[in-house]
Amino acid sequence: LINGYSSAFFYVADGDKVAFNQSGASMRTELRNENNWMISGGDRSLHGSLKFIEQTCDQVTVVQIHDDANEGSGPNKPLLRIYRHLVKSPVNHLWAAVKTDDTGLNTTHVDLGPAPAGYFSFDVRLVGGNMIIEINGEEKANLDVSYWNFPGYWKAGVYLQDEGEATIYFDELYEGDGTIVNHSPSVVITSPLNGESFTPGSDITITADAFDTDGLITTVEFFEGNTKLGEDDTAPYSYLWNTVPVGSYTLTAKATDNEAALVTSLGVDINLGVQYTLTISSSGEGSVTNTPSGSMYPENTLVNLIANPSEGYEFDGWGGDLSGRQNPVNITMDSDKTILATFVPIPTYTLTLTISGNGSVTTSPSGDTFEEGTVVTLSAVPDTENDFVNWSGDASGTEDEISVTMNSNKSITATFSLTVSVYEDAENGIQLETFPNPTGSMVYIKYTIREPSEVTLVIQDLAGRPVIQLMNDFLPSGAHHLEWNIPDNLQSGLYFIKMKMGDDVKISRMILDR
């Protein structure tokens, strides 16, 4: 096992224990020593130390003496079977099933007492034709078995007597000559854990679990290598090792029982490596989060830094043993590090709005001072019987809602104009249509007149002043059209197309958006 063999049923556990596992109905995992012996051939014994880890079946057997039907006339059945029963009264007891005659057909069951919760020892001693069973050094059965006149051998493991699962750890298992011997205690370091790391200069508490199945623990000694650190003679066994310096150490514990038997635990390796200091400071309003937290780190620890600016501030960069503006950022603690995080106020800019005409402008977010980079939405809201014309200044366009990015001070004008109401006579009025509208370079004007007439077509500005006259001519009745290429020197804005025929006047709005 120690050399690497393992399976799902038979493997090393807790560093130096042999684990047996089995599941199903009447299944088994076992070790056999197939060296047959006769009860009349001399005294002999089997010793073991084990612990029940798991049992879901009603009954599980852990130790047997089995006859070998291949070499004798035996029944090919267990002569002795030590088992734990969870249901049989009294519940959770150990029992011995013993063949009571030379035919191997009749069996008696002997109560060996409550099943111990932890590790316990069993000794089966065959002395002068009697079988003596001891649990934790206390005799529980003494039976005449001299009538066993067929070959037998030792077996141990997990035997499911019904359906379920069981796992048993064996700490010891060996044969003897039948004499009473003192069995060694057991000891294991429970803290610190193998491979655990500590900060140099730490105080480390070493704790151990020690037990003796046939006596008492008198003392537990704690060692680092060959150097004794201290001892404890009272459970729970522990020792406080103060101010441990940088280095790698192997800890062991030695337990001695009341008959001077001594055993040494498996070693536990710990490390107190080089530690480095991380010093973090800040300039301006903000903080730095470091993960893992702390100021002392083992060598080569990767530390994550996040700069957290306060409201109204922004992160401006790292200084000291770190540079750049990457956020978050990782550093490797391969030396003492001093880190500076710089925070600066976020620049603010002013938005100045001017209203020309009758209307208002709403801003989202509201206000007139904004942090750099803020996107502000402007919405033009004309008063009743007014129209929005356009934006000018540090914004342009004729859409009633626009967005501006505050990367400087901004001055923007919203222009509104009165809505033009035109009398229309369904029978006699002039029909006038313009498109596209808004336009950037050309407008197409369609109109219909009811009878031959003198017709004028004039472009006017917002104040009603003539800008350009497109037509002054005598035209026949019917449908007409005019394509006007707008001069380059005409600025963007709202204009009126005014057509007059006799006393009839038709006015249409035109938005020029270059």
Side-chain angles (χ1 to χ4, degrees):
L1 287 173
I2 292 174
N3 289 335
Y5 172 81
S6 69
S7 74
F9 311 108
F10 188 64
Y11 51 93
V12 175
D14 288 349
D16 61 351
K17 310 296 188 293
V18 178
F20 295 78
N21 171 266
Q22 190 53 261
S23 61
S26 302
M27 301 295 288
R28 63 186 177 179
T29 299
E30 64 183 14
L31 283 177
R32 300 178 182 180
N33 186 347
E34 293 182 334
N35 293 315
N36 289 325
W37 40 263
M38 300 289 291
I39 195 70
S40 58
D43 297 344
R44 67 193 71 251
S45 60
L46 180 69
H47 168 75
S49 173
L50 62 87
K51 179 181 180 180
F52 292 96
I53 302 299
E54 176 188 23
Q55 179 183 343
T56 62
C57 55
D58 291 346
Q59 181 183 175
V60 60
T61 297
V62 293
V63 182
Q64 294 186 44
I65 298 175
H66 206 286
D67 83 297
D68 191 344
N70 295 320
E71 295 192 15
S73 58
N76 193 26
K77 292 183 178 181
L79 306 178
L80 165 70
R81 184 168 62 85
I82 296 178
Y83 63 94
R84 178 197 192 196
H85 208 301
L86 298 181
V87 179
K88 180 179 179 179
S89 181
V91 298
N92 194 28
H93 271 222
L94 297 176
W95 297 82
V98 184
K99 295 299 182 184
T100 56
D101 57 55
D102 58 2
T103 67
L105 298 178
N106 297 311
T107 304
T108 186
H109 294 263
V110 180
D111 186 356
L112 303 179
Y119 281 96
F120 67 93
S121 68
F122 68 85
D123 288 274
V124 179
R125 296 193 295 119
L126 301 172
V127 180
N130 276 30
M131 180 175 65
I132 303 161
I133 301 175
E134 298 174 351
I135 302 296
N136 282 340
E138 181 180 351
E139 184 176 302
K140 296 293 185 178
N142 193 326
L143 305 171
D144 179 11
V145 291
S146 58
Y147 49 83
W148 286 351
N149 57 5
F150 21 72
Y153 58 91
W154 301 107
K155 296 172 68 174
V158 172
Y159 305 81
L160 307 182
Q161 305 301 138
D162 49 79
E163 187 168 2
E165 183 173 5
T167 303
I168 312 295
Y169 288 179
F170 275 82
D171 188 41
E172 294 176 323
L173 183 64
Y174 57 83
E175 290 186 85
D177 61 6
T179 59
I180 299 176
V181 297
N182 177 46
H183 302 302
S184 299
S186 293
V187 62
V188 60
I189 293 178
T190 57
S191 180
L193 301 177
N194 190 48
E196 193 167 355
S197 296
F198 296 88
T199 302
S202 295
D203 296 336
I204 300 175
T205 299
I206 310 169
T207 59
D209 183 15
F211 58 92
D212 186 40
T213 58
D214 61 350
L216 301 173
I217 300 294
T218 58
T219 185
V220 173
E221 301 170 281
F222 296 92
F223 289 80
E224 189 291 301
N226 295 321
T227 302
K228 180 176 177 178
L229 301 174
E231 63 180 56
D232 192 0
D233 58 6
T234 304
Y237 305 101
S238 65
Y239 174 76
L240 179 60
W241 189 12
N242 295 112
T243 320
V244 184
V246 170
S248 297
Y249 304 96
T250 299
L251 306 177
T252 56
K254 295 182 179 181
T256 304
D257 70 6
N258 58 307
E259 294 188 49
L262 183 146
V263 68
T264 301
S265 72
L266 294 175
V268 171
D269 296 324
I270 64 172
N271 179 66
L272 288 87
V274 176
Q275 299 279 312
Y276 291 114
T277 301
L278 175 61
T279 303
I280 300 175
S281 60
S282 61
S283 172
E285 298 296 325
S287 63
V288 176
T289 302
N290 52 306
T291 306
S293 60
S295 59
M296 296 290 295
Y297 296 92
E299 186 176 19
N300 293 324
T301 299
L302 192 68
V303 181
N304 177 261
L305 302 177
I306 302 176
N308 309 296
S310 299
E311 185 176 356
Y313 282 75
E314 62 183 357
F315 174 62
D316 194 46
W318 302 104
D321 292 316
L322 185 61
S323 60
R325 301 188 65 180
Q326 182 179 344
N327 185 36
V329 68
N330 293 325
I331 61 170
T332 300
M333 293 302 295
D334 50 12
S335 64
D336 290 336
K337 305 259 186 206
T338 299
I339 306 296
L340 172 67
T342 299
F343 302 93
V344 296
I346 299 175
T348 58
Y349 297 108
T350 300
L351 174 61
T352 302
L353 291 174
T354 301
I355 305 298
S356 174
N358 300 316
S360 61
V361 175
T362 62
T363 61
S364 179
S366 60
D368 55 12
T369 302
F370 303 93
E371 291 183 352
E372 183 179 35
T374 301
V375 176
V376 182
T377 299
L378 306 180
S379 299
V381 183
D383 290 349
T384 303
E385 296 185 353
N386 282 263
D387 293 302
F388 172 68
V389 179
N390 65 346
W391 304 99
S392 58
D394 290 318
S396 61
T398 58
E399 295 292 331
D400 59 2
E401 183 174 288
I402 61 171
S403 294
V404 294
T405 300
M406 296 303 295
N407 49 21
S408 63
N409 292 327
K410 304 281 187 183
S411 180
I412 298 174
T413 297
T415 299
F416 302 89
S417 69
L418 289 171
T419 300
V420 177
S421 298
V422 179
Y423 170 78
E424 293 190 28
D425 187 319
E427 180 179 352
N428 299 319
I430 304 171
Q431 298 177 3
L432 176 64
E433 179 183 0
T434 63
F435 59 89
N437 197 3
T439 184
S441 60
M442 181 272 294
V443 64
Y444 193 77
I445 304 170
K446 293 175 63 177
Y447 54 95
T448 302
I449 56 179
R450 67 178 184 276
E451 59 185 21
S453 302
E454 188 78 25
V455 177
T456 59
L457 185 62
V458 178
I459 306 300
Q460 295 178 336
D461 63 14
L462 282 174
R465 296 185 296 263
V467 173
I468 187 170
Q469 181 172 289
L470 299 182
M471 182 176 60
N472 183 6
D473 204 354
F474 185 87
L475 297 177
S477 62
H480 301 271
H481 69 270
L482 173 68
E483 184 176 324
W484 177 40
N485 292 312
I486 304 171
D488 293 338
N489 61 353
L490 198 62
Q491 296 181 351
S492 297
L494 178 64
Y495 294 87
F496 299 104
I497 301 175
K498 181 179 180 181
M499 176 169 280
K500 183 178 181 182
M501 183 191 71
D503 294 330
D504 292 333
V505 175
K506 178 67 175 179
I507 297 177
S508 177
R509 292 186 305 161
M510 180 194 75
I511 298 175
L512 178 59
D513 185 8
R514 293 193 182 276

